[in-house]
Amino acid sequence: KTCLVHTRVLPTLGYPKPIKVCPRCVATPEALEAQEDIILSSSQKSEIVAMVRKVYKRVMGSRIPINCQNTIEYQLAFEPRPRSISFQAQPTLAECALFPGLLVQAPFGIPQDKIATIEVQREERRKIAQERYKKEREEARVRELQREKEREEAHRKMVELRKKQRAEAAD
């Protein structure tokens, strides 16, 4: 335990947050991002991008580069020229395909009927959650009214007891 003096994120090993590592592990070239990409499918794309940019700016202190094109340029470490990869939607394909020159062709993705089913299920879950929330709020309101009645009753009894004690003390 005394040799674990450094901290580092190791997402490829399942540690997205910094963990303690030994000096030898710090020198090991471990990837600093997750191995898989995250794909978001939403009708509110601009809101997602705005939120990602805001959080990234707050956490990292710099702006995140956002690419909204079908071509991505990237450069590997110690390479003089940047590379590029292009993407095309190909509805006739059943699976993704990679062609020479880094051109990716893929089917359109989730069918519209599946998206509609997902949205219907999401709406049903939202309605159930809303009903549950209303029910819990009503139960909390009823409990609070009951507690208030109990407090009023206890206060009334205490006042009567004090009056009775004063009357007995006066006699």
Side-chain angles (χ1 to χ4, degrees):
K1 292 194 174 209
T2 58
C3 75
L4 301 178
V5 294
H6 300 286
T7 59
R8 183 166 180 196
V9 294
L10 299 168
T12 55
L13 299 178
Y15 300 102
K17 293 186 178 181
I19 60 167
K20 291 189 176 249
V21 295
C22 64
R24 186 173 37 119
C25 296
V26 171
T28 305
E30 177 70 33
L32 296 179
E33 1 4 269
Q35 290 178 327
E36 63 278 339
D37 288 335
I38 298 172
I39 298 173
L40 300 173
S41 176
S42 173
S43 60
Q44 300 170 334
K45 293 170 186 64
S46 58
E47 287 83 356
I48 292 173
V49 170
M51 184 58 64
V52 168
R53 290 184 72 176
K54 182 178 179 182
V55 171
Y56 188 90
K57 173 88 172 173
R58 187 179 319 138
V59 172
M60 302 302 288
S62 62
R63 300 181 103 185
I64 185 171
I66 296 184
N67 183 353
C68 298
Q69 300 173 6
N70 291 335
T71 302
I72 298 174
E73 288 197 7
Y74 64 98
Q75 187 167 356
L76 300 176
F78 309 113
E79 281 194 357
R81 293 184 304 128
R83 298 180 178 196
S84 67
I85 184 169
S86 299
F87 301 90
Q88 288 181 350
Q90 193 74 305
T92 58
L93 291 178
E95 295 181 6
C96 292
L98 181 64
F99 295 97
L102 291 178
L103 173 65
V104 177
Q105 292 186 342
F108 278 119
I110 302 173
Q112 284 302 113
D113 58 339
K114 179 68 173 175
I115 292 172
T117 303
I118 291 170
E119 288 177 357
V120 166
Q121 291 170 345
R122 182 180 300 137
E123 184 64 23
E124 289 173 2
R125 287 192 307 269
R126 188 192 64 75
K127 286 180 181 177
I128 291 170
Q130 187 176 20
E131 290 297 322
R132 184 174 50 237
Y133 174 75
K134 286 180 182 178
K135 183 180 176 185
E136 289 171 357
R137 293 286 295 164
E138 180 63 26
E139 290 171 355
R141 189 183 68 78
V142 168
R143 282 194 306 270
E144 187 58 36
L145 287 174
Q146 183 64 31
R147 282 190 210 121
E148 186 63 31
K149 285 181 184 179
E150 290 171 0
R151 283 192 290 262
E152 288 175 2
E153 183 64 27
H155 180 70
R156 188 184 56 77
K157 286 181 181 179
M158 184 179 65
V159 169
E160 287 178 7
L161 180 64
R162 284 184 184 168
K163 284 182 181 179
K164 187 176 181 182
Q165 289 173 345
R166 285 184 192 158
E168 289 174 1
D171 289 335

